[in-house]
Amino acid sequence: MTDGYTASYTPGMSKVMVSLPADLLALVDQEARRRSLSRSALLATAARRELGRRNPEAVAEAVARSEQRFAHVARFDAAASVRSDRDARR
C-alpha cells in the first residue's frame, strides 16, 4: 500500500514510530555516526541481532538434555586431560 508521498522514498520499507528515552536516542545517534550508518540502519541491525538470539528457554532445555545425557559419565579434570594429550604428542 502506498500513500503517494512515500512510495518512492524507501521502496520495500515500512515506516514505524517508536518512543525512546532521550538518553537512549542520543546513544543510538552517537553510535550510528560512529559507524557511519543511518539511525534506521543501526536500529535494524540491532533488531536483527536481538531477534537472532536463541530463546533462553530453549538453551536451558538443551543444557538440561545434555546434563541428563552425560549424567552417567564420571567427573574428570579437563585441564589434566589436555595436558596429558599435549605431553603425549611431544
Side-chain angles (χ1 to χ4, degrees), residues 79-90:
S81 295
V82 170
R83 280 192 297 275
S84 175
D85 185 57
R86 180 198 61 210
D87 294 345
R89 294 174 189 226
R90 288 184 180 175

Side-chain angles (χ1 to χ4, degrees), residues 2 4 7 13 15 32 34-35 39 49 61 68 74 90:
T2 62
M13 297 285 188
K15 304 280 187 235
R34 188 184 73 76
R35 295 184 189 196
R39 180 189 289 165
R49 182 181 306 124
E61 289 170 4
Q68 186 176 21
R90 288 184 180 175

Side-chain angles (χ1 to χ4, degrees), residues 44-78:
T45 298
R48 282 189 185 96
R49 182 181 306 124
E50 181 63 24
L51 293 170
R53 289 184 179 185
R54 294 194 182 264
N55 177 338
E57 292 170 1
V59 171
E61 289 170 4
V63 168
R65 284 192 307 274
S66 293
E67 288 173 344
Q68 186 176 21
R69 183 179 299 153
F70 295 105
H72 68 283
V73 176
R75 300 259 183 225
F76 65 95
D77 181 358

